[in-house]
């Protein structure tokens, strides 16, 4: 097992840092899958026990100048590591102005991802700051837990409203209730609702648009579905708030698939990163 | 106002409808009296009065005149109800509480009468939020029987000067002592805390003193915990009047200017902790 990568472009470094910061806000630990073409940050939530799951995909060529991977076996040319994203964030923070950042899988007292940042100084000799971040290598027999999630058979798919507006509203709603209902229809309408003994609050978003998934531009699954009919799912409001808190950059596309009473599937697409987040329904 | 009428709400049934182009003209002033969960609302053709009380010793009132609202329609002489003030504020600020968000939220507040919830329509940037807040039967606010004819001492100060003092007040002191006198020290705030005794003096000819009418030397103490919430009103205000009556009851009246430069008032009444005869 070998892994070596290098970032020399400051724009790529900043972008990579932002992605890692977002992941660190979403979860304490997750799995980092390294393949020849991509990096994946994966959280396989235990859906049965109400956990969220996350799938973040980066195309390595868009970030790294050099990238060498030798996986666990020729027929399984990838490496799976359990990491604490916040540790990666911290290492990247010190590397902010680096001329070059090298990442290597090493073995110190335990397996580590070693970040070496070459920092500019006034003299001709560079200063190198090294972080050894302990990781756990995930054995191959457990890899099936970290496969790309399949697109759920959704009832409605809709573009999300501006994330900032959603975040403001959800932040306030969290003061009023532990649970929130998200509902949407094929008419581009989405509502966020909370209801308790004291108060009920509904925020109405209109003209959001529905992404065309089918070949014919429709959403495929049920072409005769009444466009006004809402699909809804009730979730733990903190999970939605956590997702919204983590977003630092406006995505180029943001959408949401709702499986009625089962799950909310959020998809954010940036130029070279995609993030999927699944929030299960609560009864 | 670009709000569409919600199908469930027929204007005919409302006893009170109040609209604002900028909800902050209501939410900011309510924040100045939010120290307890419940508030008593009383609407008359003159406008809205919101009252919050604490342990029968402190009362805060916020007055928002009918002219502040873009629409203020009331079908009865007096409409009263009680709501959870923190819930109401969360609803009024549903699109975010800070000024830097850039957007302006419009409000339409509707009430059907006894037993009905308070309904709020809030709109910002084409997004509409509808809130229904349960109401209770309003309690009768305490009448502190504070009338201008019984006022012994009165000063009006520019808030700037008091803001500094209040931000530095020794909070380990259980009481705030206020001395008002026609002679030295004229107007003095005192605390007695762990760091010792502290006094803030305001001479009667100070620039900050807009009015000084003190007829009798009076020293009164008020529980610091009761007066602490008034600093929120002080922070919003540009002028404050401090009055005491023969019983030592304190009236603080704050002149608050809203986002559109209109004037609203907030007043605090407080019972004295003990009367101290000035020696």
């Amino acid at each position: 097992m070998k892994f070596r990568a290098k970032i020399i472009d400051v724009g790529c470094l900043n972008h990579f840092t932002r992605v890692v910061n977002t992941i660190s806000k979403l979860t304490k630990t997750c799995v980092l899958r390294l393949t020849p073409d991509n990096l994946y940050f994966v959280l396989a939530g235990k859906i049965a026990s109400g956990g969220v799951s996350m799938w973040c995909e980066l195309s390595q060529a868009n970030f790294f100048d050099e990238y060498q991977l030798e996986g666990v076996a020729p027929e399984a040319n990838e490496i799976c590591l359990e990491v604490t994203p916040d540790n990666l964030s911290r290492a990247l923070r010190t590397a902010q102005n680096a001329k070059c950042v090298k990442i290597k899988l090493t073995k110190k007292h335990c397996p580590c991802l070693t970040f070496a940042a070459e920092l500019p100084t006034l003299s001709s000799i560079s200063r190198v700051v090294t972080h050894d971040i302990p990781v756990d290598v995930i054995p191959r027999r457990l890899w099936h837990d970290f496969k790309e999630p399949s697109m759920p058979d959704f009832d409605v798919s809709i573009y999300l409203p501006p994330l900032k507006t959603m975040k403001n509203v959800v932040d306030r709603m969290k003061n009023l209730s532990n649970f929130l209902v998200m509902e949407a229809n094929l008419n581009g309408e989405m509502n966020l609702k909370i209801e308790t003994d004291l108060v009920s609050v509904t925020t109405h978003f209109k003209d959001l648009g529905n992404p065309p998934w089918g070949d014919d531009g429709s959403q495929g699954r049920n072409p005769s579905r009444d466009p006004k009919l809402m699909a809804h799912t009730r979730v733990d409001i903190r999970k939605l708030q956590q997702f919204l808190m983590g977003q630092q950059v406006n995505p180029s596309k943001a959408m949401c698939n709702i499986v009625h009473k089962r799950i909310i599937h959020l998809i954010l697409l940036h130029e070279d990163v995609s993030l999927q987040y699944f929030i299960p329904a609560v009864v | 106002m670009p709000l569409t009428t919600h199908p469930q709400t027929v204007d005919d049934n409302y006893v009170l409808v109040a609209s604002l182009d900028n909800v902050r003209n209501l939410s900011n002033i309510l924040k100045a009296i939010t120290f307890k969960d419940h508030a008593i609302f009383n609407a008359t053709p003159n406008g809205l009065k919101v009252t919050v009380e604490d342990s029968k010793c402190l009362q805060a009132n916020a007055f928002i005149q009918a002219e502040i609202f873009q629409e203020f329609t009331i079908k009865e002489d007096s409409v009263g109800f009680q709501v959870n003030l923190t819930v109401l504020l969360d609803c009024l600020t549903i699109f975010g509480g800070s000024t830097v968000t850039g957007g302006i939220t419009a409000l339409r507040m509707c009430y059907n009468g006894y037993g009905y919830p308070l309904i709020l329509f809030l709109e910002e940037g084409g997004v509409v939020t509808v809130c229904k807040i349960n109401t209770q039967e309003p309690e009768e606010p305490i009448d502190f029987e504070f009338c201008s004819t019984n006022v012994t001492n009165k000063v009006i100060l520019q808030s700037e000067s008091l803001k500094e003092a209040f931000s530095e007040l020794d909070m380990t002191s259980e009481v705030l002592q206020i001395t008002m006198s026609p002679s030295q020290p004229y107007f003095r705030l005192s605390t007695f805390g762990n760091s010792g005794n502290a006094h803030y003096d305001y001479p009667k000819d100070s620039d900050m003193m807009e009015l000084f009418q003190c007829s009798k030397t009076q020293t009164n103490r008020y529980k610091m915990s009761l007066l602490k919430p008034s600093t929120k009103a002080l922070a919003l205000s540009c002028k404050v009047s401090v009055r005491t009556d023969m019983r030592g009851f304190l009236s603080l009246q704050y002149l608050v200017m809203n986002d559109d430069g209109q004037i609203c008032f907030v007043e605090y009444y407080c019972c004295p902790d003990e009367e101290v005869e000035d020696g």
Side-chain angles (χ1 to χ4, degrees), chain B residues 85-269:
Chain B
L85 191 52
T86 22
V87 168
L88 174 63
L89 272 173
D90 277 328
C91 291
L92 291 175
T93 56
I94 194 80
F95 290 111
S98 76
T99 31
V100 290
T101 49
I104 296 208
T105 305
L107 167 75
R108 185 179 176 81
M109 183 164 76
C110 309
Y111 182 60
N112 248 346
Y114 181 73
Y116 287 89
L118 181 66
I119 303 182
L120 308 175
F121 299 94
L122 295 120
E123 184 265 331
E124 182 181 306
V127 181
V128 175
T129 298
V130 184
C131 308
K132 293 197 177 95
I133 309 174
N134 282 348
T135 58
Q136 292 99 42
E137 180 136 13
E139 286 166 14
E140 193 62 43
I142 301 169
D143 181 357
F144 278 65
E145 288 171 5
F146 196 98
C147 68
S148 14
T149 41
N150 292 337
V151 169
T152 44
N153 292 321
K154 172 176 177 173
V155 303
I156 298 184
L157 286 156
Q158 285 184 23
S159 303
E160 232 18 79
S161 53
L162 275 188
K163 279 178 198 175
E164 254 185 74
F166 268 76
S167 67
E168 290 169 6
L169 281 181
D170 182 357
M171 288 302 160
T172 62
S173 170
E174 280 197 17
V175 296
L176 176 67
Q177 180 172 284
I178 300 181
T179 302
M180 294 169 87
S181 170
S183 54
Q184 295 259 15
Y186 303 115
F187 182 68
R188 168 180 280 182
L189 302 175
S190 309
T191 56
F192 315 94
N194 295 342
S195 13
N197 301 344
H199 305 287
Y200 293 85
D201 288 354
Y202 295 86
K204 72 172 186 184
D205 50 7
S206 138
D207 284 345
M208 295 286 161
M209 191 72 74
E210 291 206 357
L211 181 93
F212 188 89
Q213 281 170 4
C214 291
S215 56
K216 177 177 145 135
T217 299
Q218 260 192 318
T219 300
N220 290 295
R221 292 181 172 197
Y222 306 93
K223 279 206 164 52
M224 187 68 90
S225 55
L226 287 179
L227 285 186
K228 182 127 199 325
S230 70
T231 47
K232 284 197 236 181
L234 181 62
L236 281 184
S237 68
C238 44
K239 272 191 219 186
V240 53
S241 106
V242 182
R243 301 178 300 165
T244 50
D245 70 4
M246 297 183 299
R247 305 163 299 169
F249 276 53
L250 175 69
S251 152
L252 299 164
Q253 292 179 314
Y254 302 91
L255 195 149
V256 174
M257 203 174 290
N258 69 15
D259 282 358
D260 297 316
Q262 298 161 307
I263 307 264
C264 291
F265 291 95
V266 174
E267 72 188 357
Y268 272 76
Y269 290 114

Side-chain angles (χ1 to χ4, degrees), chain A residues 172 175 197-198 200 202-204, chain B residues 90 93 97 128-130 132 134:
Chain A
R172 286 291 182 273
N175 291 342
D197 288 339
L198 277 181
S200 74
T202 305
T203 297
H204 302 268
Chain B
D90 277 328
T93 56
V128 175
T129 298
V130 184
K132 293 197 177 95
N134 282 348

Side-chain angles (χ1 to χ4, degrees), chain A residues 93-283:
Chain A
R93 217 173 299 147
T94 52
Q96 252 182 17
N97 298 319
K99 295 199 281 193
C100 148
V101 175
K102 293 190 184 138
I103 309 174
K104 204 163 110 170
L105 185 62
T106 58
K107 187 153 168 104
K108 307 278 158 122
H109 49 283
C110 70
C112 285
L113 267 182
T114 297
F115 280 62
E118 203 179 302
L119 299 173
T121 63
L122 290 174
S123 73
S124 56
I125 305 169
S126 283
R127 185 162 64 97
V128 177
V129 176
T130 308
H131 286 261
D132 292 315
I133 300 167
V135 297
D136 272 322
V137 178
I138 297 181
R140 213 168 134 190
R141 62 188 157 77
L142 297 177
W143 284 10
H144 58 270
D145 275 343
F146 309 111
K147 291 250 158 310
E148 174 159 12
S150 48
M151 181 74 74
D153 228 354
F154 54 80
D155 295 290
V156 169
S157 181
I158 190 165
Y159 287 114
L160 288 173
L163 295 182
K164 182 111 205 300
T165 309
M166 272 185 85
K167 178 179 176 308
N168 285 339
V169 168
V170 171
D171 278 349
R172 286 291 182 273
M173 285 181 166
K174 180 171 163 295
N175 291 342
L176 301 170
S177 168
N178 290 329
F179 302 105
L180 169 146
V181 169
M182 180 187 281
E183 61 178 24
N185 64 20
L186 292 176
N187 237 5
E189 294 168 337
M190 173 190 280
N191 299 329
L192 298 176
K193 309 202 296 202
I194 59 114
E195 184 162 345
T196 67
D197 288 339
L198 277 181
V199 62
S200 74
V201 180
T202 305
T203 297
H204 302 268
F205 296 95
K206 288 179 164 30
D207 300 325
L208 294 173
N210 302 89
W213 288 104
D215 293 327
D216 56 353
S218 74
Q219 291 199 345
R221 193 177 174 229
N222 181 3
S224 62
R225 186 190 167 93
D226 175 9
K228 290 222 169 83
L229 183 64
M230 293 278 179
H232 70 247
T233 301
R234 188 163 178 258
V235 297
D236 181 334
I237 203 170
R238 289 165 299 181
K239 304 208 161 90
L240 181 59
Q241 188 193 36
Q242 186 156 27
F243 172 76
L244 293 167
M245 272 199 314
Q247 305 317 312
Q248 296 185 316
V249 188
N250 273 329
S252 39
K253 274 207 168 72
M255 51 203 139
C256 169
N257 298 333
I258 300 181
V259 181
H260 187 64
K261 291 193 184 169
R262 299 287 293 282
I263 202 163
I264 292 176
H265 176 209
L266 298 148
I267 308 174
L268 301 186
L269 299 175
H270 301 256
E271 229 172 69
D272 30 32
V273 182
S274 74
L275 175 64
Q276 297 181 52
Y277 202 74
F278 297 80
I279 306 179
V282 296
V283 174

